[in-house]
Amino acid sequence: MQRHGEEAIAAAGSAAELEDVRVRFLGKKGLLTGILRGMGALPPEERPLAGQWANAVRDRLNALLAEREAALVARETESRLAAEALDVTLPGRRPPLGHRHPLRVVWTEVEAIFRGMGYEVFEGPEIEYDYYNFETLNIPKGHPARDMQDSFYVTDEILLRTHTSPSQIRFMRQRAPRLPVRMIAPGRVYRRDDDATHSPMFHQVEGLLVDAGVTFGDLKGTLLSFARQMYGEGAQIRLRPSYFPFTEPSAEVDVSCAICGGSGRLVEAELSGAPAGGLPCRTCKGTGWLEVLGAGMVHPVVLKNGGYDPERVTGFAFGMGIERLAMLKYGIDDLRLFFQNDLRFISQF
Ligand code: DAH
C-alpha cells in the first residue's frame, strides 16, 4: 500500500495528476480511507496496531504529496519563465517604411531642377473658373480648342481645371508689373478621358518666364537644360511646330527616349535571342522620341491679361505631363500602373 502510493506520487507529472493520486489513496472513497473504515471489523486487540500503521502510511503519503507538489510547482514556474523569456539582446524590428509614389518622386525632381534655375513654385486651385482655365488664355467660349480638353464642369462658370495653364494668369496678376516672372506650377488636372493612355486625373507642371527680351532660343535652351538634368547629359530634345491658343509660335517638344538611348531599338534583347538589331523599344514605340510637353512664346493677349505690356516684355511658357516624364524615366509603358497603387509596382521606386 505504502509502496504503491509512493510510486504513484513519484510518477505524477502534473498538479492535476498528483491530485488524482491524492484522491485515489486519501480521498473520501480512497484506499487508505477504506482501510481505516474497515478497522471496526478487526478484533479489538489488533486495532491499535492497524491504526498506527494506517496513520503512519497517511502521514508518509501526505508528506510525499506536499513534497511532490512543491517540486511540480517549481518545475512549472521554471518552464513558464523559460517560455516567456525575452532576449533583450535581439535587434529591434523596424516598422516598415512607406515609399514615395513615382509621380511624387518626379514632381519633386522637376521642382528641384527649376528651383535651381531661379524659378519659384506656385500652386493654383484645382477647382477653377472657366475664366482662368480658358478665357484669359485666349480660348473664348465656343473656341474649337476647347474640344481638345473635354472638361468636368461644376457649374457653367466653374470646372475642374483641365491644365495648369490658368496658374500663368493667376501668378502674373499677383506679380505684375514686377520683372522677371519665373515660376513653375505643378499639380493635378482633370479631363473626361479614360483609357490605356489617358486618365481622368493626371499631373502637369506649368512653366512661365516673362522678362524684357526673352526669345524662343531661351525657351529651347531652358528645355534642353531641363532634359539633361532629368535624363542625363546625353539627352536631346526636338521641337515640332504646333498650335496652342495661349502661345505663338507654339511647339510640341519631344525628349530622346532614355530607355533605348534614342535609337528606338532595345539591343540587349539580342542576348535573349531577339533578331539582329534588337526589338523595337516599347517606351517610345520604336521612334526614339517621347512627347513630354507643349511650349511656346506667350501670346500677347495672355501677357496683357496677366497685367504685362506685350510691347515691352516677352515670355515663354511650357506645360509638361508628369506621367509622361515618369514613364520615360522608369521605362513604364502603361499609364494605369500609376493609379492602381499595386504595392508590387509602387515599392520599386
Ligand atoms: N496647357 C497645355 C495642355 O494641357 C500644355 C501647354 C502647351 C502649356 C503650351 C503651355 C504651353 O504653357 O505654352 O495641353
PDB file of all heavy atoms in Angstrom, residues 191-220:
ATOM      1  N   ARG A 191      -9.537  65.677 -66.975  1.00  0.00           N
ATOM      2  CA  ARG A 191     -10.230  65.683 -68.269  1.00  0.00           C
ATOM      3  C   ARG A 191     -11.109  64.456 -68.390  1.00  0.00           C
ATOM      4  O   ARG A 191     -10.816  63.418 -67.793  1.00  0.00           O
ATOM      5  CB  ARG A 191      -9.217  65.686 -69.422  1.00  0.00           C
ATOM      6  CG  ARG A 191      -8.478  66.987 -69.499  1.00  0.00           C
ATOM      7  CD  ARG A 191      -7.592  67.076 -70.720  1.00  0.00           C
ATOM      8  NE  ARG A 191      -6.572  68.091 -70.474  1.00  0.00           N
ATOM      9  CZ  ARG A 191      -5.553  68.358 -71.276  1.00  0.00           C
ATOM     10  NH1 ARG A 191      -5.421  67.690 -72.393  1.00  0.00           N
ATOM     11  NH2 ARG A 191      -4.687  69.292 -70.956  1.00  0.00           N
ATOM     12  N   ARG A 192     -12.150  64.590 -69.202  1.00  0.00           N
ATOM     13  CA  ARG A 192     -13.063  63.452 -69.364  1.00  0.00           C
ATOM     14  C   ARG A 192     -12.489  62.457 -70.360  1.00  0.00           C
ATOM     15  O   ARG A 192     -12.954  62.344 -71.486  1.00  0.00           O
ATOM     16  CB  ARG A 192     -14.434  63.955 -69.812  1.00  0.00           C
ATOM     17  CG  ARG A 192     -15.126  64.731 -68.704  1.00  0.00           C
ATOM     18  CD  ARG A 192     -16.470  65.239 -69.140  1.00  0.00           C
ATOM     19  NE  ARG A 192     -17.333  64.171 -69.644  1.00  0.00           N
ATOM     20  CZ  ARG A 192     -18.549  64.371 -70.109  1.00  0.00           C
ATOM     21  NH1 ARG A 192     -19.048  65.585 -70.131  1.00  0.00           N
ATOM     22  NH2 ARG A 192     -19.257  63.358 -70.557  1.00  0.00           N
ATOM     23  N   ASP A 193     -11.448  61.763 -69.928  1.00  0.00           N
ATOM     24  CA  ASP A 193     -10.765  60.759 -70.741  1.00  0.00           C
ATOM     25  C   ASP A 193     -10.467  59.589 -69.840  1.00  0.00           C
ATOM     26  O   ASP A 193     -10.101  59.783 -68.695  1.00  0.00           O
ATOM     27  CB  ASP A 193      -9.385  61.287 -71.186  1.00  0.00           C
ATOM     28  CG  ASP A 193      -9.451  62.089 -72.457  1.00  0.00           C
ATOM     29  OD1 ASP A 193     -10.348  61.818 -73.271  1.00  0.00           O
ATOM     30  OD2 ASP A 193      -8.589  62.969 -72.615  1.00  0.00           O
ATOM     31  N   ASP A 194     -10.584  58.391 -70.351  1.00  0.00           N
ATOM     32  CA  ASP A 194     -10.214  57.241 -69.525  1.00  0.00           C
ATOM     33  C   ASP A 194      -9.942  56.028 -70.403  1.00  0.00           C
ATOM     34  O   ASP A 194     -10.859  55.350 -70.824  1.00  0.00           O
ATOM     35  CB  ASP A 194     -11.346  56.930 -68.519  1.00  0.00           C
ATOM     36  CG  ASP A 194     -10.856  56.054 -67.387  1.00  0.00           C
ATOM     37  OD1 ASP A 194      -9.650  55.743 -67.337  1.00  0.00           O
ATOM     38  OD2 ASP A 194     -11.690  55.675 -66.549  1.00  0.00           O
ATOM     39  N   ASP A 195      -8.680  55.791 -70.709  1.00  0.00           N
ATOM     40  CA  ASP A 195      -8.307  54.571 -71.435  1.00  0.00           C
ATOM     41  C   ASP A 195      -6.847  54.250 -71.094  1.00  0.00           C
ATOM     42  O   ASP A 195      -6.290  54.800 -70.149  1.00  0.00           O
ATOM     43  CB  ASP A 195      -8.537  54.727 -72.940  1.00  0.00           C
ATOM     44  CG  ASP A 195      -7.757  55.891 -73.535  1.00  0.00           C
ATOM     45  OD1 ASP A 195      -6.588  56.093 -73.145  1.00  0.00           O
ATOM     46  OD2 ASP A 195      -8.307  56.606 -74.394  1.00  0.00           O
ATOM     47  N   ALA A 196      -6.236  53.360 -71.881  1.00  0.00           N
ATOM     48  CA  ALA A 196      -4.888  52.888 -71.532  1.00  0.00           C
ATOM     49  C   ALA A 196      -3.874  54.025 -71.465  1.00  0.00           C
ATOM     50  O   ALA A 196      -2.891  53.950 -70.727  1.00  0.00           O
ATOM     51  CB  ALA A 196      -4.425  51.837 -72.532  1.00  0.00           C
ATOM     52  N   THR A 197      -4.109  55.080 -72.245  1.00  0.00           N
ATOM     53  CA  THR A 197      -3.115  56.156 -72.267  1.00  0.00           C
ATOM     54  C   THR A 197      -3.651  57.456 -71.683  1.00  0.00           C
ATOM     55  O   THR A 197      -2.952  58.462 -71.672  1.00  0.00           O
ATOM     56  CB  THR A 197      -2.614  56.414 -73.709  1.00  0.00           C
ATOM     57  OG1 THR A 197      -3.758  56.611 -74.544  1.00  0.00           O
ATOM     58  CG2 THR A 197      -1.806  55.237 -74.224  1.00  0.00           C
ATOM     59  N   HIS A 198      -4.909  57.448 -71.211  1.00  0.00           N
ATOM     60  CA  HIS A 198      -5.479  58.660 -70.605  1.00  0.00           C
ATOM     61  C   HIS A 198      -6.171  58.326 -69.298  1.00  0.00           C
ATOM     62  O   HIS A 198      -6.913  57.357 -69.223  1.00  0.00           O
ATOM     63  CB  HIS A 198      -6.500  59.310 -71.543  1.00  0.00           C
ATOM     64  CG  HIS A 198      -5.898  59.800 -72.815  1.00  0.00           C
ATOM     65  ND1 HIS A 198      -5.810  59.018 -73.943  1.00  0.00           N
ATOM     66  CD2 HIS A 198      -5.318  60.980 -73.138  1.00  0.00           C
ATOM     67  CE1 HIS A 198      -5.216  59.698 -74.914  1.00  0.00           C
ATOM     68  NE2 HIS A 198      -4.896  60.893 -74.450  1.00  0.00           N
ATOM     69  N   SER A 199      -5.912  59.166 -68.298  1.00  0.00           N
ATOM     70  CA  SER A 199      -6.588  59.008 -67.011  1.00  0.00           C
ATOM     71  C   SER A 199      -7.393  60.287 -66.766  1.00  0.00           C
ATOM     72  O   SER A 199      -6.957  61.361 -67.154  1.00  0.00           O
ATOM     73  CB  SER A 199      -5.526  58.817 -65.930  1.00  0.00           C
ATOM     74  OG  SER A 199      -6.024  59.273 -64.691  1.00  0.00           O
ATOM     75  N   PRO A 200      -8.556  60.192 -66.129  1.00  0.00           N
ATOM     76  CA  PRO A 200      -9.364  61.408 -65.910  1.00  0.00           C
ATOM     77  C   PRO A 200      -8.672  62.403 -64.980  1.00  0.00           C
ATOM     78  O   PRO A 200      -9.016  63.582 -64.975  1.00  0.00           O
ATOM     79  CB  PRO A 200     -10.659  60.883 -65.284  1.00  0.00           C
ATOM     80  CG  PRO A 200     -10.354  59.491 -64.848  1.00  0.00           C
ATOM     81  CD  PRO A 200      -9.247  58.972 -65.709  1.00  0.00           C
ATOM     82  N   MET A 201      -7.717  61.936 -64.198  1.00  0.00           N
ATOM     83  CA  MET A 201      -6.916  62.841 -63.367  1.00  0.00           C
ATOM     84  C   MET A 201      -5.465  62.561 -63.699  1.00  0.00           C
ATOM     85  O   MET A 201      -5.067  61.398 -63.760  1.00  0.00           O
ATOM     86  CB  MET A 201      -7.182  62.574 -61.887  1.00  0.00           C
ATOM     87  CG  MET A 201      -6.507  63.520 -60.922  1.00  0.00           C
ATOM     88  SD  MET A 201      -4.778  63.121 -60.606  1.00  0.00           S
ATOM     89  CE  MET A 201      -4.947  61.593 -59.702  1.00  0.00           C
ATOM     90  N   PHE A 202      -4.704  63.596 -63.976  1.00  0.00           N
ATOM     91  CA  PHE A 202      -3.273  63.405 -64.195  1.00  0.00           C
ATOM     92  C   PHE A 202      -2.532  64.646 -63.717  1.00  0.00           C
ATOM     93  O   PHE A 202      -3.138  65.531 -63.100  1.00  0.00           O
ATOM     94  CB  PHE A 202      -2.972  63.027 -65.653  1.00  0.00           C
ATOM     95  CG  PHE A 202      -3.419  64.019 -66.693  1.00  0.00           C
ATOM     96  CD1 PHE A 202      -2.509  64.870 -67.308  1.00  0.00           C
ATOM     97  CD2 PHE A 202      -4.755  64.103 -67.068  1.00  0.00           C
ATOM     98  CE1 PHE A 202      -2.909  65.784 -68.281  1.00  0.00           C
ATOM     99  CE2 PHE A 202      -5.167  65.015 -68.036  1.00  0.00           C
ATOM    100  CZ  PHE A 202      -4.240  65.855 -68.646  1.00  0.00           C
ATOM    101  N   HIS A 203      -1.233  64.690 -63.946  1.00  0.00           N
ATOM    102  CA  HIS A 203      -0.419  65.761 -63.351  1.00  0.00           C
ATOM    103  C   HIS A 203       0.365  66.519 -64.408  1.00  0.00           C
ATOM    104  O   HIS A 203       0.871  65.915 -65.355  1.00  0.00           O
ATOM    105  CB  HIS A 203       0.562  65.159 -62.340  1.00  0.00           C
ATOM    106  CG  HIS A 203      -0.103  64.418 -61.229  1.00  0.00           C
ATOM    107  ND1 HIS A 203      -0.583  63.139 -61.383  1.00  0.00           N
ATOM    108  CD2 HIS A 203      -0.384  64.781 -59.960  1.00  0.00           C
ATOM    109  CE1 HIS A 203      -1.135  62.741 -60.249  1.00  0.00           C
ATOM    110  NE2 HIS A 203      -1.024  63.712 -59.369  1.00  0.00           N
ATOM    111  N   GLN A 204       0.449  67.805 -64.204  1.00  0.00           N
ATOM    112  CA  GLN A 204       1.243  68.645 -65.109  1.00  0.00           C
ATOM    113  C   GLN A 204       2.144  69.554 -64.291  1.00  0.00           C
ATOM    114  O   GLN A 204       1.900  69.798 -63.107  1.00  0.00           O
ATOM    115  CB  GLN A 204       0.334  69.541 -65.961  1.00  0.00           C
ATOM    116  CG  GLN A 204      -0.472  68.799 -67.018  1.00  0.00           C
ATOM    117  CD  GLN A 204      -1.218  69.757 -67.941  1.00  0.00           C
ATOM    118  OE1 GLN A 204      -1.552  70.874 -67.541  1.00  0.00           O
ATOM    119  NE2 GLN A 204      -1.478  69.321 -69.162  1.00  0.00           N
ATOM    120  N   VAL A 205       3.156  70.062 -64.953  1.00  0.00           N
ATOM    121  CA  VAL A 205       3.920  71.180 -64.388  1.00  0.00           C
ATOM    122  C   VAL A 205       3.893  72.292 -65.426  1.00  0.00           C
ATOM    123  O   VAL A 205       4.306  72.095 -66.576  1.00  0.00           O
ATOM    124  CB  VAL A 205       5.388  70.821 -64.106  1.00  0.00           C
ATOM    125  CG1 VAL A 205       6.102  72.028 -63.480  1.00  0.00           C
ATOM    126  CG2 VAL A 205       5.500  69.627 -63.191  1.00  0.00           C
ATOM    127  N   GLU A 206       3.362  73.434 -65.028  1.00  0.00           N
ATOM    128  CA  GLU A 206       3.359  74.604 -65.899  1.00  0.00           C
ATOM    129  C   GLU A 206       4.642  75.377 -65.662  1.00  0.00           C
ATOM    130  O   GLU A 206       5.161  75.402 -64.539  1.00  0.00           O
ATOM    131  CB  GLU A 206       2.160  75.495 -65.519  1.00  0.00           C
ATOM    132  CG  GLU A 206       1.824  76.546 -66.539  1.00  0.00           C
ATOM    133  CD  GLU A 206       1.141  75.927 -67.763  1.00  0.00           C
ATOM    134  OE1 GLU A 206       0.690  74.772 -67.689  1.00  0.00           O
ATOM    135  OE2 GLU A 206       1.079  76.629 -68.795  1.00  0.00           O
ATOM    136  N   GLY A 207       5.158  76.007 -66.701  1.00  0.00           N
ATOM    137  CA  GLY A 207       6.316  76.882 -66.526  1.00  0.00           C
ATOM    138  C   GLY A 207       6.059  78.202 -67.219  1.00  0.00           C
ATOM    139  O   GLY A 207       5.389  78.243 -68.257  1.00  0.00           O
ATOM    140  N   LEU A 208       6.568  79.279 -66.642  1.00  0.00           N
ATOM    141  CA  LEU A 208       6.360  80.600 -67.248  1.00  0.00           C
ATOM    142  C   LEU A 208       7.560  81.484 -66.936  1.00  0.00           C
ATOM    143  O   LEU A 208       7.999  81.563 -65.783  1.00  0.00           O
ATOM    144  CB  LEU A 208       5.089  81.243 -66.666  1.00  0.00           C
ATOM    145  CG  LEU A 208       4.798  82.685 -67.128  1.00  0.00           C
ATOM    146  CD1 LEU A 208       4.418  82.723 -68.605  1.00  0.00           C
ATOM    147  CD2 LEU A 208       3.672  83.289 -66.278  1.00  0.00           C
ATOM    148  N   LEU A 209       8.075  82.111 -67.980  1.00  0.00           N
ATOM    149  CA  LEU A 209       9.134  83.091 -67.773  1.00  0.00           C
ATOM    150  C   LEU A 209       8.807  84.333 -68.594  1.00  0.00           C
ATOM    151  O   LEU A 209       8.528  84.216 -69.797  1.00  0.00           O
ATOM    152  CB  LEU A 209      10.502  82.511 -68.184  1.00  0.00           C
ATOM    153  CG  LEU A 209      11.699  83.434 -67.879  1.00  0.00           C
ATOM    154  CD1 LEU A 209      12.903  82.635 -67.434  1.00  0.00           C
ATOM    155  CD2 LEU A 209      12.061  84.287 -69.109  1.00  0.00           C
ATOM    156  N   VAL A 210       8.766  85.481 -67.947  1.00  0.00           N
ATOM    157  CA  VAL A 210       8.467  86.742 -68.636  1.00  0.00           C
ATOM    158  C   VAL A 210       9.521  87.756 -68.245  1.00  0.00           C
ATOM    159  O   VAL A 210       9.844  87.899 -67.053  1.00  0.00           O
ATOM    160  CB  VAL A 210       7.059  87.281 -68.248  1.00  0.00           C
ATOM    161  CG1 VAL A 210       6.793  88.620 -68.944  1.00  0.00           C
ATOM    162  CG2 VAL A 210       5.975  86.271 -68.580  1.00  0.00           C
ATOM    163  N   ASP A 211      10.053  88.433 -69.240  1.00  0.00           N
ATOM    164  CA  ASP A 211      11.059  89.473 -68.962  1.00  0.00           C
ATOM    165  C   ASP A 211      11.257  90.274 -70.246  1.00  0.00           C
ATOM    166  O   ASP A 211      10.697  89.925 -71.296  1.00  0.00           O
ATOM    167  CB  ASP A 211      12.381  88.816 -68.528  1.00  0.00           C
ATOM    168  CG  ASP A 211      13.228  89.749 -67.646  1.00  0.00           C
ATOM    169  OD1 ASP A 211      12.897  90.953 -67.544  1.00  0.00           O
ATOM    170  OD2 ASP A 211      14.211  89.258 -67.072  1.00  0.00           O
ATOM    171  N   ALA A 212      12.072  91.308 -70.174  1.00  0.00           N
ATOM    172  CA  ALA A 212      12.381  92.053 -71.393  1.00  0.00           C
ATOM    173  C   ALA A 212      13.320  91.214 -72.257  1.00  0.00           C
ATOM    174  O   ALA A 212      14.293  90.659 -71.758  1.00  0.00           O
ATOM    175  CB  ALA A 212      13.034  93.387 -71.040  1.00  0.00           C
ATOM    176  N   GLY A 213      12.985  91.069 -73.530  1.00  0.00           N
ATOM    177  CA  GLY A 213      13.899  90.435 -74.472  1.00  0.00           C
ATOM    178  C   GLY A 213      14.014  88.921 -74.402  1.00  0.00           C
ATOM    179  O   GLY A 213      15.016  88.354 -74.829  1.00  0.00           O
ATOM    180  N   VAL A 214      13.008  88.226 -73.856  1.00  0.00           N
ATOM    181  CA  VAL A 214      13.049  86.758 -73.832  1.00  0.00           C
ATOM    182  C   VAL A 214      12.783  86.211 -75.240  1.00  0.00           C
ATOM    183  O   VAL A 214      11.878  86.688 -75.942  1.00  0.00           O
ATOM    184  CB  VAL A 214      11.987  86.204 -72.851  1.00  0.00           C
ATOM    185  CG1 VAL A 214      11.964  84.681 -72.888  1.00  0.00           C
ATOM    186  CG2 VAL A 214      12.265  86.706 -71.447  1.00  0.00           C
ATOM    187  N   THR A 215      13.581  85.233 -75.670  1.00  0.00           N
ATOM    188  CA  THR A 215      13.449  84.711 -77.037  1.00  0.00           C
ATOM    189  C   THR A 215      13.094  83.225 -77.050  1.00  0.00           C
ATOM    190  O   THR A 215      13.180  82.537 -76.018  1.00  0.00           O
ATOM    191  CB  THR A 215      14.780  84.862 -77.818  1.00  0.00           C
ATOM    192  OG1 THR A 215      15.735  83.940 -77.236  1.00  0.00           O
ATOM    193  CG2 THR A 215      15.313  86.282 -77.725  1.00  0.00           C
ATOM    194  N   PHE A 216      12.753  82.770 -78.248  1.00  0.00           N
ATOM    195  CA  PHE A 216      12.475  81.345 -78.442  1.00  0.00           C
ATOM    196  C   PHE A 216      13.736  80.525 -78.149  1.00  0.00           C
ATOM    197  O   PHE A 216      13.652  79.386 -77.673  1.00  0.00           O
ATOM    198  CB  PHE A 216      12.016  81.110 -79.884  1.00  0.00           C
ATOM    199  CG  PHE A 216      11.278  79.825 -80.080  1.00  0.00           C
ATOM    200  CD1 PHE A 216       9.909  79.751 -79.855  1.00  0.00           C
ATOM    201  CD2 PHE A 216      11.939  78.671 -80.489  1.00  0.00           C
ATOM    202  CE1 PHE A 216       9.216  78.567 -80.037  1.00  0.00           C
ATOM    203  CE2 PHE A 216      11.253  77.472 -80.666  1.00  0.00           C
ATOM    204  CZ  PHE A 216       9.886  77.416 -80.443  1.00  0.00           C
ATOM    205  N   GLY A 217      14.919  81.125 -78.409  1.00  0.00           N
ATOM    206  CA  GLY A 217      16.181  80.447 -78.087  1.00  0.00           C
ATOM    207  C   GLY A 217      16.305  80.197 -76.587  1.00  0.00           C
ATOM    208  O   GLY A 217      16.822  79.160 -76.155  1.00  0.00           O
ATOM    209  N   ASP A 218      15.832  81.162 -75.772  1.00  0.00           N
ATOM    210  CA  ASP A 218      15.858  80.956 -74.311  1.00  0.00           C
ATOM    211  C   ASP A 218      14.994  79.759 -73.922  1.00  0.00           C
ATOM    212  O   ASP A 218      15.356  78.969 -73.047  1.00  0.00           O
ATOM    213  CB  ASP A 218      15.342  82.215 -73.590  1.00  0.00           C
ATOM    214  CG  ASP A 218      16.248  83.421 -73.807  1.00  0.00           C
ATOM    215  OD1 ASP A 218      17.478  83.231 -73.867  1.00  0.00           O
ATOM    216  OD2 ASP A 218      15.720  84.545 -73.926  1.00  0.00           O
ATOM    217  N   LEU A 219      13.851  79.660 -74.594  1.00  0.00           N
ATOM    218  CA  LEU A 219      12.956  78.526 -74.323  1.00  0.00           C
ATOM    219  C   LEU A 219      13.655  77.201 -74.640  1.00  0.00           C
ATOM    220  O   LEU A 219      13.672  76.281 -73.816  1.00  0.00           O
ATOM    221  CB  LEU A 219      11.682  78.662 -75.166  1.00  0.00           C
ATOM    222  CG  LEU A 219      10.735  77.444 -75.181  1.00  0.00           C
ATOM    223  CD1 LEU A 219      10.226  77.128 -73.778  1.00  0.00           C
ATOM    224  CD2 LEU A 219       9.562  77.682 -76.131  1.00  0.00           C
ATOM    225  N   LYS A 220      14.260  77.138 -75.826  1.00  0.00           N
ATOM    226  CA  LYS A 220      14.936  75.904 -76.227  1.00  0.00           C
ATOM    227  C   LYS A 220      16.058  75.542 -75.257  1.00  0.00           C
ATOM    228  O   LYS A 220      16.201  74.385 -74.854  1.00  0.00           O
ATOM    229  CB  LYS A 220      15.560  76.079 -77.630  1.00  0.00           C
ATOM    230  CG  LYS A 220      14.752  75.464 -78.741  1.00  0.00           C
ATOM    231  CD  LYS A 220      15.461  75.621 -80.084  1.00  0.00           C
ATOM    232  CE  LYS A 220      16.325  74.417 -80.420  1.00  0.00           C
ATOM    233  NZ  LYS A 220      16.819  74.470 -81.815  1.00  0.00           N
TER     234      LYS A 220
END
